[in-house]
Amino acid sequence: MTKYESLIIYAEKIGAKVKEKDFLTNKKCAKTIDNVIYINSCMTNCEKYEVLSEEIGHYKTTFGKITNLDDVRNLKQELKARDTSVQEICSLNNITDCIYKGAKDKCEIAEMLCVSDELFSYAIRYHARKNPIVFKEDYILYFDENNLRIF
């Protein structure tokens, strides 16, 4: 079972239905309407996984229509959904699991987590804000604004 398929099962457990739809574009995009998360079917499974994770964040945390990101309230909800996604798929446990499995740098970790470099860079900034130095068994992880250092 792929990570994307596992995430679909999780979405259904929390009450969301996931449907794939051709959005007539290759862009990474999705939309949540009520309890249905529509995922662009033209994406790769890793892209779908990443986008579905953020949409689950919206499903859990967002209220109302937030398409206008010039409104600070909408932008805050967008960031809250992304933070929720990072907490799930780029958690400290998931990152250290990748290191234990042999990942040596942030590109290899992102690949093992099945997320884009862009989302993993956001995850690094997120962890830098929340807990910049983490002691995990045999490793020390140091998150700064743009880098992850592993000691």
Side-chain angles (χ1 to χ4, degrees):
M1 179 179 305
T2 67
K3 290 182 177 200
Y4 174 61
E5 291 167 335
S6 296
L7 202 54
I8 289 172
I9 291 168
Y10 172 73
E12 291 171 353
K13 283 182 182 175
I14 64 169
K17 295 178 180 147
V18 178
K19 295 184 178 183
E20 289 191 21
K21 180 180 177 168
D22 187 348
F23 283 31
L24 303 176
T25 180
N26 287 335
K27 289 184 179 180
K28 293 189 329 186
C29 55
K31 183 175 264 193
T32 300
I33 301 172
D34 296 325
N35 69 328
V36 181
I37 299 172
Y38 296 95
I39 300 290
N40 185 0
S41 62
C42 297
M43 297 183 292
T44 67
N45 270 359
C46 283
E47 290 171 331
K48 290 176 187 177
Y49 172 69
E50 185 177 312
V51 169
L52 177 57
S53 176
E54 187 168 331
E55 289 304 309
I56 288 172
H58 282 295
Y59 180 79
K60 291 170 136 181
T61 64
T62 301
F63 300 97
K65 185 177 178 181
I66 65 164
T67 54
N68 178 8
L69 296 181
D70 290 333
D71 184 332
V72 173
R73 293 171 296 186
N74 293 347
L75 186 57
K76 284 181 179 181
Q77 288 192 72
E78 187 67 39
L79 293 174
K80 178 72 173 167
R82 182 165 284 198
D83 287 352
T84 300
S85 172
V86 164
Q87 291 167 8
E88 293 290 325
I89 64 176
C90 296
S91 68
L92 292 173
N93 286 338
N94 289 349
I95 291 169
T96 54
D97 285 347
C98 292
I99 294 166
Y100 288 130
K101 291 176 183 173
K104 303 269 189 273
D105 58 33
K106 65 183 187 178
C107 293
E108 289 179 1
I109 295 169
E111 185 176 331
M112 287 178 119
L113 292 175
C114 199
V115 299
S116 66
D117 290 338
E118 176 189 28
L119 180 66
F120 194 66
S121 292
Y122 182 87
I124 289 171
R125 290 190 302 275
Y126 170 84
H127 289 299
R129 285 191 321 265
K130 298 295 182 182
N131 196 7
I133 300 174
V134 177
F135 299 92
K136 281 290 213 178
E137 297 173 30
D138 300 335
Y139 295 99
I140 299 171
L141 306 178
Y142 175 70
F143 297 92
D144 68 23
E145 194 59 30
N146 297 309
N147 294 302
L148 166 61
R149 295 191 183 119
I150 304 165
F151 300 99

